[in-house]
Amino acid sequence: MIPVRSALALALAIGLSAGAPLASVQAADAAAADSFIAAINKEIRDNYVEVTAAQWVSETYINGDTEVLVAKANERALSRLSANVDKSKEFAGVKGISPATQRGIDLLKLQTAMPAPKDPAKLAELTQIASRLNAAYGSGKSCTDPAKPETCRNLDQLSKTLAENRDWDADLEAWTAWHNTARGMRKDYVRFAELVNEGAHEMGYANAGDMWRAGYDMSAADFRTETDRLWRQVEPLYKDLQCYARHKLEKQYPGKLAADGTIPAHITGNMWSQDWVALYPLLQPYPGVSNLDVDAALKEKQYTPVAMVQRAEDFYSSLGFPPLPKSFYEKSQLTRPADRDVVCHASAWDLNLEGDVRIKMCININEEDFRTIYHELGHIYYYLAYNKLPPLFQTGAHDGFHEAIGDTIQLNLTPGYLAQIGLAGATKPSKEAVLNAQMKQALEKVAFLPFGKLIDEWRWGVFDGSIKPADYNAAWWTLKKKYQGVAPIVARTEADFDPGAKYHVPGNTPYMRYFLAHILQFQFQRELCKAAGFKGPLHECSIYGNKAAGAKFWAMLEKGSGQTWQATLKELTGKGEMDASAILDYFAPLHAWLKQQNKGQHCGWE
Ligand code: X8Z
Ligand code: ZN
């Protein structure tokens, strides 16, 4: 689980103790504040393992018993957190508190994405709902006869249909089957929103969304404006990609697309239309020019899940990062167990704040999972780099940084690197080959941008009451259409709960982090390539094997959240502001080509 502000599930590494409350503060002066924060840090260390261990088993052995264990562990931790946040209020306005202690106090109340009411009955109700939602997602299946397991299909199987078939009806059936698994979550989610809002209110926030937006070293209102600003920078690039993709899909499925300019939600090759990589064979600019079939190469080279992880580790090692601890390979869950339900959604965990790091995945031998491993290891090295800091600072500079580390490394999986490790054919560098490679990257990274932004716009609306339970599903599809230009081809109603079909909603993981990461990773890459002395166009750079770039990256990871993210970003890039100019530079060749292709086409949607 990603600790604190960037945690991956439920109550995250709330990490606070189940033990006796801290001694009540004697005199609220600066020295007392230092002692208070020191005690909190110790308490986190002492109690962290209990919560993360419960979370780990609840996701790797889903059953009624582990659901109880994790709910109880979270209940105790959240109760301690509330008490400690209350105590920390005694230091408000106290003069002379050191910046580090003040930062600790400020970070304390952001330790969870699931603020809980203090009322014991409501607290217990909240942790039980959260565990139930998480378990429901992990065990979600579509069965023709629920009594017969052989008639059931899980998310892997339904996703495979979407990714591998261009069959309109089969894809629609698989898409609908998965979305319908989330219907039963609606009632729990309504109550969940009420309870976290109550908890956020008690902690001094207007609602839970306001609290989520408070974790960015700026006001919640400024943060919202900031995400809008970044979206406006990248929107033209996305719109040109959407237009091109829609035009190609219209040729693939003549007469089937709606006339309003949207793309049907079930034909993007991905369950949530969040990336469109599966459409690469259909959308590649110059068929036959490049061999980028990593899926086939992984199978042909008989890669195993462990070998895929080792291959990714090798990249990080080539930068001078330390080896993964032996326990990582012993304790990680790399494949789906045959005999039980698990939460297969990939995640990276720090179980004890001192080296017991693991990933939890259900790796299939394909390119998507290969790339996800590089993503997850980014989290793992971040943990290892900041493990020496006090626990309150053991998080990303902000949660988007945490998501951007492994993604930055993904940008280095250039055709050149892939050829070097035998996973792609050697491609003669040509304008055509560059455009093919750019298209493949854009179907992952550019297609994602509007999706990354809309998930939390939906949740912010749910939490602030502007989206009412009676409109949950309609509001979801309004945002999908507004941002992505994607729409369902079959009517969805308020009997459905389509947001619940996306892991992070039942898992309660904030999502704006991924949008930010998709901007930041290009900024990081630009600086790392500079450090590596690379002079060519950004999209051609790979820092594989470059120790200077590695040292620069590691220095950033070691900072954790001990200073503002603006300070950390400034140390890396010279500028303390998120900025989409790097992603625009990166995709400049493709964007020019897309504009050319779209000439005379009707672009946009109603
Ligand atoms: O959830 C993830 C990671 C774990 S932090 C696999 N990602 C988002 C998603 O799958 O929806 C990575 C990209 C976006
Ligand atoms: Zn991640």
Side-chain angles (χ1 to χ4, degrees), residues 69 73 192 228 231 246 336 343 382 413 439 583 606:
L69 292 177
F192 178 85
D228 289 338
W231 169 243
R246 185 179 186 281
R336 183 191 276 275
V343 177
Y382 215 158
L413 276 62
M439 177 62 81
I583 183 173
E606 286 150 26

Side-chain angles (χ1 to χ4, degrees), residues 162-225:
L162 295 192
E164 293 179 2
N165 298 325
R166 301 276 74 82
D167 177 329
W168 180 273
D169 293 327
D171 286 354
L172 183 57
E173 194 278 328
W175 184 92
T176 310
W178 178 252
H179 280 77
N180 289 353
T181 64
R183 286 180 161 182
M185 295 176 187
R186 172 186 279 262
K187 195 164 153 266
D188 269 343
Y189 201 79
V190 173
R191 184 66 182 147
F192 178 85
E194 285 168 6
L195 290 169
V196 287
N197 270 343
E198 219 176 295
H201 203 76
E202 287 177 16
M203 285 200 192
Y205 298 96
N207 57 64
D210 193 54
M211 176 169 164
W212 286 9
R213 289 188 300 275
Y216 296 92
D217 296 310
M218 55 173 72
S219 76
D222 285 351
F223 180 66
R224 191 195 283 270
T225 309

Side-chain angles (χ1 to χ4, degrees), residues 498-532:
D498 294 325
K502 176 65 195 165
Y503 169 72
H504 302 70
V505 174
N508 196 41
T509 306
Y511 210 85
M512 199 57 82
R513 59 184 62 179
Y514 301 107
F515 173 70
L516 303 178
H518 277 68
I519 308 280
L520 274 173
Q521 61 190 266
F522 293 90
Q523 283 182 269
F524 293 169
Q525 176 72 355
R526 182 156 69 183
E527 292 313 314
L528 298 181
C529 291
K530 229 184 260 172

